[in-house]
Amino acid sequence: MGELLKTTSGIALNPYYIEDLSISVYSLEELSYCIYQNAYLAGPDLMNIELVEWINDELHLKDLAETLRTLLKENVTLSLFVSEILNANGYLTKGEIKETISTIMEFENKSDAEIGKMRADRLFEKGRVVDAIFEYQNTLTISGTMTDVLLGDVYHNLGTAYAYLFMFSEAEASFREAYIKNHKRSTLRCLLFTTLLSENDEAFDQYCERYFLSEEERESIKQTVTDCMTSREYLSKHTEIEAIAEEESEEKMKKSILQKINEYQAEYETLCRI
């Protein structure tokens, strides 16, 4: 898992495998850590009798196992089930437990499609862009259960993820499908931005004609892209990186550049997603 965790509840001889996370855990503290770090991926599958029996047989936490057994029989929510686990050891603070439970509760009483989009959005926020793309694509396989607006928003954020990776052709296709469904002006603008970024001027003109954009709107979008590529802010980012590379030691340079990249990514993430 990449770090040492102090355990007071004992270590299992045989680990418990969390299929959704592809992780094996050996203690209640490790389980709590995994849930906390991946609360946005936690699903109903986590609430099962196999986990309860592992806690009983491997960790020998009989009282906790009995409580969890009762909760399973009562068919309680996942947030309540997880709360019992997190509160049974002192690994997480009260604030961290509250944060984790709040995240899980966001997903409760939502449709599978809504959950899929929310999970993909969280993956994107965490910087796991490729994983987010796969999650958006998986969510689209159940498109029959979505409203047109939700379906369009999934396509929109998929397009944003593709654009993040400079895959502008894929981004354009996603934004095109998105706008057909959600009819949002922000989606149309992203569609037009990506056609220009992929240097597909013919497609840009076709979209402008199809969706009745005025000459003023067309020029505004073109100017926005030009301004972004030639703006002082854009050019200053390169200047900042170049200055770091020239002045810092190698170790400090890597740390400083990573910090700058994270800042730029944060700006981007808030720009295009729905």
Side-chain angles (χ1 to χ4, degrees), residues 168-169 172 191-210 213 215 218-219 221-223 225-226 229:
F168 294 123
S169 295
E172 178 190 336
L191 170 60
L192 296 172
F193 287 150
T194 52
T195 58
L196 291 176
L197 289 168
S198 59
E199 300 181 346
N200 192 345
D201 293 340
E202 182 179 352
F204 177 84
D205 291 335
Q206 289 175 348
Y207 289 133
C208 289
E209 291 293 330
R210 183 183 306 168
L213 269 75
E215 190 63 33
R218 300 183 192 195
E219 291 305 315
I221 290 171
K222 288 181 179 179
Q223 191 61 50
V225 173
T226 301
M229 299 301 291

Side-chain angles (χ1 to χ4, degrees), residues 79-255:
S79 57
L80 182 56
F81 184 85
V82 169
S83 179
E84 286 293 332
I85 294 174
L86 301 184
N87 282 292
N89 65 92
Y91 176 69
L92 297 179
T93 66
K94 290 183 179 180
E96 289 169 335
I97 292 174
K98 183 178 180 180
E99 175 189 343
T100 304
I101 298 306
S102 295
T103 298
I104 293 174
M105 289 178 68
E106 287 183 37
F107 292 87
E108 293 175 344
N109 302 317
K110 295 282 195 303
S111 68
D112 289 343
E114 290 174 313
I115 291 172
K117 179 182 179 297
M118 291 171 67
R119 284 181 175 170
D121 290 345
R122 294 295 178 86
L123 286 165
F124 189 94
E125 290 166 5
K126 295 282 186 178
R128 297 170 58 182
V129 182
V130 175
D131 289 335
I133 288 173
F134 282 122
E135 189 65 39
Y136 286 129
Q137 290 173 334
N138 287 336
T139 302
L140 290 172
T141 63
I142 52 174
S143 59
T145 65
M146 299 186 216
T147 64
D148 281 349
V149 172
L150 177 59
L151 179 57
D153 289 350
V154 173
Y155 269 116
H156 180 111
N157 287 357
L158 175 60
T160 303
Y162 278 133
Y164 187 94
L165 299 178
F166 301 97
M167 300 171 67
F168 294 123
S169 295
E170 291 81 356
E172 178 190 336
S174 296
F175 286 129
R176 181 176 64 244
E177 292 298 323
Y179 186 65
I180 290 171
K181 295 296 183 181
N182 68 13
H183 304 295
K184 292 183 178 180
R185 205 66 178 176
S186 59
T187 298
L188 178 57
R189 288 181 66 85
C190 287
L191 170 60
L192 296 172
F193 287 150
T194 52
T195 58
L196 291 176
L197 289 168
S198 59
E199 300 181 346
N200 192 345
D201 293 340
E202 182 179 352
F204 177 84
D205 291 335
Q206 289 175 348
Y207 289 133
C208 289
E209 291 293 330
R210 183 183 306 168
Y211 299 120
F212 307 104
L213 269 75
S214 67
E215 190 63 33
E216 183 179 356
E217 289 176 304
R218 300 183 192 195
E219 291 305 315
S220 174
I221 290 171
K222 288 181 179 179
Q223 191 61 50
T224 298
V225 173
T226 301
D227 289 344
C228 285
M229 299 301 291
T230 60
S231 68
R232 291 181 180 178
E233 181 182 3
Y234 177 83
L235 295 174
S236 71
K237 296 184 189 304
H238 291 277
T239 303
E240 288 173 355
I241 295 296
E242 288 173 357
I244 290 171
E246 289 177 2
E247 298 178 7
E248 306 286 1
S249 65
E250 182 175 355
E251 183 177 349
K252 193 173 181 181
M253 177 185 70
K254 290 179 180 178
K255 184 177 180 180

Side-chain angles (χ1 to χ4, degrees), residues 251-262:
E251 183 177 349
K252 193 173 181 181
M253 177 185 70
K254 290 179 180 178
K255 184 177 180 180
S256 298
I257 290 177
L258 180 60
Q259 181 180 347
K260 285 296 177 185
I261 289 173
N262 289 336

